[in-house]
Amino acid sequence: MPARTLPTLPSAEVASHNSAKSCYITVGTKVYDVTTFVEDHPGGGDLILDYAGKDVKEAMEDEVSHAHSESAWEILDDYLIGFVATEKVLEAAMHSSDPFSILPMEPSAKGMEELKRANTGAKEEVEARDSVTVGDVDGDKPVYERTGISSEEDLSKDTDFVNDYKKHKFLDLNKPLLLQVWYGGFSKKFYLEQVHRPRHYKGGESAPLFGNFLEPLSKTPWWVVPTVWLPMVAYGTFLAARHFSPLVTVAYWLGGLGFWTLVEYGLHRCLFHLDDYLPDHRAALTLHFLLHGIHHYLPMDRLRLVMPPTLFIVLATPFWKLAHTLFAYDWYAAVAVFCGGVFGYICYDLTHYFLHHSNLPFYYKQLKKYHMQHHFMDYENGFGVTSRFWDTVFGTELPPPPIPKIIKSV
């Protein structure tokens, strides 16, 4: 799995993030992006915005106003994005025989070579860090090798269409995407490398997929999912409840819901991410792009985050038949199980949408952080969306990002 690195940010840049739209705060040399936490702050968002772009250490330790608890400091750690580079820090690093003990970021490949030449006395430290996979470098910014980006924030940065196409020769976001995949002549290896390097289309609008009358069919607002499927779930549950006692109905229904969690994991890992087993053929690559590739290519597209009803019918039909095969002894039992499973799907699709596009209650913030890591850090693990349970069972859980090296006081 690629290594995680945290950048060192110039103090002027940190100070510029001083609004509700982008709010950074510092504690000593640590930089935190608390934009998504502003509205959730128990004392009100204005208290945070008063310190936007500034250091909050004294305010958080102030006994008169409110000394923050240990759990508050732990919550703050979830928002750590890097370290601030003051003149004092940079000067100390320049004169240090061990600059890695001062600068808190992992060096880029280019920086590694420069530091080797400039400081032979730090040889052991350099060699140890040379084994770390830093990935590509966008300017001076370390990024993950597999995705070409460095953080959740990068998923929402508009892509320069012209330069992106000129550099990668993959898909032109100004033109219909599907035909480009079909006629592109891409090898499987090149396609998979590119489709997992996220792009972002004009502030989150939808890139053209078909470019014709089929275009509207590829877009599904989130509210369509509960609108279409909840009435059917309610009706099927009602039929089962008329046939069984409440306790038996609930048991079958919850059994279907539990089975869905395994289906969710299985579909995501064994169908949507069937990368290694894809045939090296344009038909396979195009189908992969339609099913899930487009989501990793444009992960913040609001209208291509939930499953269109037509596609869900195709995927759900085998499970309808499976339910009636397993519970052939009673049609109503099969219906109750299937309804519980469909309700699980509704929860999955809505959770997936809101993980990408909403400022969630605290309970879901860790789930959002986990899922976003799947997109920007390691798409070959972290397949659970509504839960990490099956990731833990099958050994595909994304571990917490490595704790960054703490900067020494200067």
Side-chain angles (χ1 to χ4, degrees), residues 257-319:
L257 181 62
F259 181 66
W260 163 258
T261 64
L262 181 59
V263 171
E264 172 195 318
Y265 176 87
L267 285 176
H268 195 183
R269 180 181 181 182
C270 303
L271 178 62
F272 298 157
H273 281 277
L274 197 67
D275 299 356
D276 292 340
Y277 301 96
L278 278 178
D280 196 349
H281 188 277
R282 66 178 181 175
L285 302 185
T286 303
L287 182 60
H288 178 275
F289 189 77
L290 272 175
L291 280 177
H292 200 60
I294 190 172
H295 175 54
H296 274 261
Y297 187 65
L298 296 165
M300 303 307 287
D301 185 338
R302 291 175 178 270
L303 296 179
R304 295 197 177 106
L305 257 173
V306 298
M307 197 176 295
T310 49
L311 180 57
F312 180 69
I313 289 174
V314 172
L315 293 176
T317 299
F319 294 103

Side-chain angles (χ1 to χ4, degrees), residues 56-358:
V56 298
K57 188 172 187 296
E58 289 187 12
M60 290 186 69
E61 293 178 342
D62 189 350
E63 296 286 350
V64 176
S65 61
H66 174 56
H68 287 67
S69 65
E70 187 174 327
S71 61
W73 287 97
E74 290 176 356
I75 291 172
L76 188 60
D77 283 339
D78 291 337
Y79 299 93
L80 180 67
I81 61 167
F83 302 86
V84 62
T86 63
E87 291 183 7
K88 222 173 183 183
V89 171
L90 293 174
E91 183 181 352
M94 287 175 61
H95 294 94
S96 174
S97 61
D98 182 8
F100 294 117
S101 65
I102 296 175
L103 284 177
M105 67 178 289
E106 299 285 357
S108 67
K110 179 182 176 183
M112 183 70 75
E113 292 302 320
E114 291 178 356
L115 285 168
K116 282 182 181 178
R117 291 195 298 269
N119 189 0
T120 56
K123 183 178 179 181
E124 291 183 0
E125 183 73 21
V126 171
E127 288 177 348
R129 289 179 177 269
D130 208 14
S131 64
V132 177
T133 302
V134 177
D136 299 330
V137 177
D138 180 11
D140 293 328
K141 186 178 183 181
V143 298
Y144 291 102
E145 185 175 28
R146 295 180 182 180
T147 63
I149 59 176
S150 63
S151 65
E152 176 187 333
E153 187 179 48
D154 289 349
L155 295 172
S156 298
K157 290 183 178 177
D158 287 350
T159 299
D160 184 328
F161 297 175
V162 176
N163 287 335
D164 181 73
Y165 183 69
K166 186 183 297 183
K167 178 180 179 181
H168 298 288
K169 297 293 189 293
F170 182 49
L171 301 180
D172 184 346
L173 286 169
N174 281 309
K175 300 176 181 178
L177 301 177
L178 200 63
L179 288 179
Q180 293 183 71
V181 177
W182 180 260
Y183 289 112
F186 307 126
S187 69
K188 170 183 155 182
K189 180 181 179 182
F190 177 76
Y191 164 80
L192 291 174
E193 285 175 352
Q194 290 299 319
V195 83
H196 290 299
R197 298 175 75 88
R199 275 75 163 182
H200 189 60
Y201 186 86
K202 293 180 180 176
E205 296 179 15
S206 295
L209 181 61
F210 294 102
N212 54 31
F213 68 94
L214 293 173
E215 195 70 26
L217 297 179
S218 72
K219 301 176 181 179
T220 310
W222 69 267
W223 49 265
V224 169
V225 172
T227 301
V228 171
W229 301 116
L230 271 180
M232 297 183 186
V233 168
Y235 180 65
T237 304
F238 169 72
L239 291 178
R242 292 181 63 186
H243 183 74
F244 296 119
S245 68
L247 187 61
V248 173
T249 302
V250 169
Y252 279 125
W253 200 89
L254 290 180
L257 181 62
F259 181 66
W260 163 258
T261 64
L262 181 59
V263 171
E264 172 195 318
Y265 176 87
L267 285 176
H268 195 183
R269 180 181 181 182
C270 303
L271 178 62
F272 298 157
H273 281 277
L274 197 67
D275 299 356
D276 292 340
Y277 301 96
L278 278 178
D280 196 349
H281 188 277
R282 66 178 181 175
L285 302 185
T286 303
L287 182 60
H288 178 275
F289 189 77
L290 272 175
L291 280 177
H292 200 60
I294 190 172
H295 175 54
H296 274 261
Y297 187 65
L298 296 165
M300 303 307 287
D301 185 338
R302 291 175 178 270
L303 296 179
R304 295 197 177 106
L305 257 173
V306 298
M307 197 176 295
T310 49
L311 180 57
F312 180 69
I313 289 174
V314 172
L315 293 176
T317 299
F319 294 103
W320 169 265
K321 294 184 179 298
L322 176 62
H324 283 272
T325 300
L326 295 176
F327 298 90
Y329 61 85
D330 196 309
W331 186 87
Y332 293 98
V335 169
V337 169
F338 185 76
C339 285
V342 173
F343 182 77
Y345 153 72
I346 295 169
C347 294
Y348 154 78
D349 243 356
L350 296 185
T351 298
H352 190 202
Y353 179 87
F354 291 118
L355 290 182
H356 278 263
H357 287 293
S358 291

